[in-house]
Amino acid sequence: MCIRDRLNGTFVGAKVGFLLSQKFVFGLFGDFALTPNFGIEPGIDATAYSDNKDRTIIRLSMEANGRYSFPFQGKTFEGFAIAGPAYVIDRTTGETYGASSDKQFFRINLGGGITFNNRSEGQILTGVKVNFDIGQNGSDVQIFVGYRYFL
């Protein structure tokens, strides 16, 4: 039995990750159970990087993922799948001596992973998420590790 079954789980968490496009990611998220195995996982990911034109780009991705957990009988870990939309803002500075501009677009997230120690209030998780940018001719893969805590 996972903690969601016992406690009608609501979690908050943080994660760090790496995009295969060679950028680090930091994120905060919530996990609100609707059933013992399904919940809504809103969150925000932040990435900052420089491009080859000496511009700094700060990307905020506001996500509304659904999360389905796959508990394994008698085990202290569970698999999960996530999917959902995200709204992305790219803030670019340094193009013209401090001038800034914003680019906004949507993306679809698909991914999954494993949550460890799923019978306790604090849980470590790791996974992979593919970000499909809509109308931007691109996608990226995020590998992450995080910690979530039951409220």
Side-chain angles (χ1 to χ4, degrees):
M1 170 164 44
C2 71
I3 197 167
R4 286 180 195 249
D5 296 334
R6 292 185 290 132
L7 302 170
N8 194 17
T10 298
F11 294 88
V12 294
K15 65 181 177 177
V16 293
F18 186 75
L19 295 167
L20 293 187
S21 61
Q22 302 179 353
K23 300 172 189 86
F24 285 99
V25 178
F26 175 77
L28 299 172
F29 62 93
D31 186 355
F32 305 98
L34 300 177
T35 71
N37 291 343
F38 180 74
I40 301 297
E41 190 176 271
I44 186 164
D45 284 354
T47 304
Y49 60 96
S50 294
D51 66 6
N52 58 4
K53 298 178 184 175
D54 293 326
R55 298 179 299 182
T56 299
I57 300 165
I58 298 172
R59 173 172 285 177
L60 295 177
S61 175
M62 291 148 282
E63 304 178 347
N65 294 317
R67 175 184 170 119
Y68 188 82
S69 297
F70 304 95
F72 300 106
Q73 191 70 25
K75 303 294 182 188
T76 59
F77 62 91
E78 65 185 13
F80 65 87
I82 57 173
Y87 177 68
V88 180
I89 300 173
D90 277 352
R91 179 106 172 141
T92 304
T93 59
E95 293 178 53
T96 316
Y97 301 105
S100 63
S101 63
D102 288 340
K103 178 171 74 171
Q104 302 171 17
F105 57 95
F106 289 95
R107 73 169 29 148
I108 299 295
N109 300 318
L110 297 174
I114 297 174
T115 300
F116 298 95
N117 203 21
N118 65 327
R119 296 181 182 172
S120 70
E121 294 180 352
Q123 303 174 357
I124 295 171
L125 56 104
T126 187
V128 174
K129 180 172 62 172
V130 180
N131 306 315
F132 298 99
D133 296 342
I134 298 172
Q136 299 299 308
N137 298 325
S139 62
D140 210 343
V141 177
Q142 180 185 133
I143 300 168
F144 62 88
V145 62
Y147 182 83
R148 66 183 195 165
Y149 186 77
F150 175 76
L151 294 179

